[in-house]
Amino acid sequence: MADRPYHHGNLRAALLGEAERTLREQGSEQLSLRGLARQVGVSHGAPRRHFADRQALLDALAETGFARLGDELRAALDAAGDDYQARFRATASAYVRFATRDAALLDLMFAGKNLDQSPALHDASERAFAAILELIQHGQHTGMFQPGDPERTGLLLFATLHGIAALVTAGMIDAGQLDGLVADAVAQFMARRPQDREPALGPAHPAGRGNPGTGVKLSPEVREPNPPPTLTDAAPARVL
């Protein structure tokens, strides 16, 4: 049988599109240049004009994923209005939606060996998350976000959002809870205003035999609890 022709309107885009479909439906183990050539309808050698080997294909697929993720995060941010916390919730929700919709692609994007081997892929990942990093830096500058190293704080936020997405993908929590969980997660990273702080507690041990806050006296029959043990009361720790 003669080889299929090389010619294709936009072979690179067609190969990446078919590769993403295969990744979503069958997993990365089923991806091969020869298989993609057959699916797209070109000769088995045609994909090598765009991808030197299978790893080059995976890197390009991951880079495309980071570009799309970055576009979705930026679009969510731009559409969210002026309220800082609303902008952060919208951007965080956009990430979790991407992570639950394209879980297999996200796994490929974050494969350590890909990031280590491809500087272009590493740069693409940084561009994708630039919107969130800018939000953190702006919030810290204006006192609306927790202080600290922005990249470390961003990593903690990412771990939280990624964990929510993983639980949804695994079916451990209902997808209908996603927006509420994201909103709660974002709220945990916001700087606490003075009026939001809990009031200081009163004395740990009330004076006398009563509650100074209410004026209620303990009856003679009710014994006060023993005071909690202190560190000096504890047995010495065993040294290994």
Side-chain angles (χ1 to χ4, degrees):
M1 181 181 293
D3 284 347
R4 297 181 180 88
Y6 282 96
H7 305 293
H8 194 284
N10 191 343
L11 181 56
R12 188 178 191 277
L15 290 169
L16 288 174
E18 193 64 29
E20 186 171 339
R21 186 187 67 79
T22 301
L23 176 67
R24 184 182 298 112
E25 296 177 358
Q26 304 177 35
S28 61
E29 298 80 6
Q30 302 303 316
L31 281 173
S32 69
L33 293 178
R34 184 179 289 269
L36 290 176
R38 183 173 59 254
Q39 291 164 236
V40 172
V42 296
S43 67
H44 65 81
R48 294 189 181 276
R49 290 194 165 190
H50 300 279
F51 309 109
D53 52 25
R54 181 176 181 273
Q55 186 60 54
L57 169 70
L58 296 178
D59 287 350
L61 188 58
E63 188 172 349
T64 299
F66 277 121
R68 188 163 75 237
L69 173 61
D71 289 344
E72 292 184 16
L73 296 182
R74 186 66 66 178
L77 175 62
D78 292 342
D82 296 329
D83 180 76
Y84 177 76
Q85 192 161 336
R87 286 161 62 84
F88 216 119
R89 281 197 305 269
T91 309
S93 294
Y95 172 77
V96 176
R97 284 195 299 271
F98 182 97
T100 52
R101 183 187 68 230
D102 291 307
L105 177 59
L106 196 69
D107 287 344
L108 175 65
M109 290 159 57
F110 289 127
K113 62 182 180 181
N114 290 351
L115 291 174
D116 290 341
Q117 293 174 356
S118 172
L121 192 55
H122 184 271
D123 292 343
S125 70
E126 291 194 341
R127 288 193 300 273
F129 289 102
I132 291 182
L133 185 58
E134 290 169 11
L135 267 177
I136 292 174
Q137 292 171 332
H138 173 72
Q140 289 180 332
H141 179 72
T142 56
M144 290 181 286
F145 197 87
Q146 287 183 6
D149 177 61
E151 292 191 2
R152 183 174 179 82
T153 305
L155 180 60
L156 291 173
L157 174 66
F158 166 75
T160 303
L161 298 177
H162 199 69
I164 293 172
L167 291 174
V168 172
T169 301
M172 297 178 68
I173 58 176
D174 187 85
Q177 297 178 275
L178 190 150
D179 289 339
L181 289 171
V182 169
D184 288 346
V186 168
Q188 296 300 314
F189 286 87
M190 295 296 113
R192 300 188 68 181
R193 300 170 300 177
Q195 59 266 38
D196 294 335
R197 294 173 186 160
E198 296 179 1
L201 298 177
H205 300 286
R209 294 183 53 80
N211 186 331
T214 62
V216 176
K217 299 293 184 179
L218 295 176
S219 66
E221 292 79 13
V222 180
R223 299 180 60 188
E224 292 183 292
N226 293 327
T230 64
L231 290 177
T232 56
D233 298 327
R238 183 179 177 184
V239 179
L240 299 180

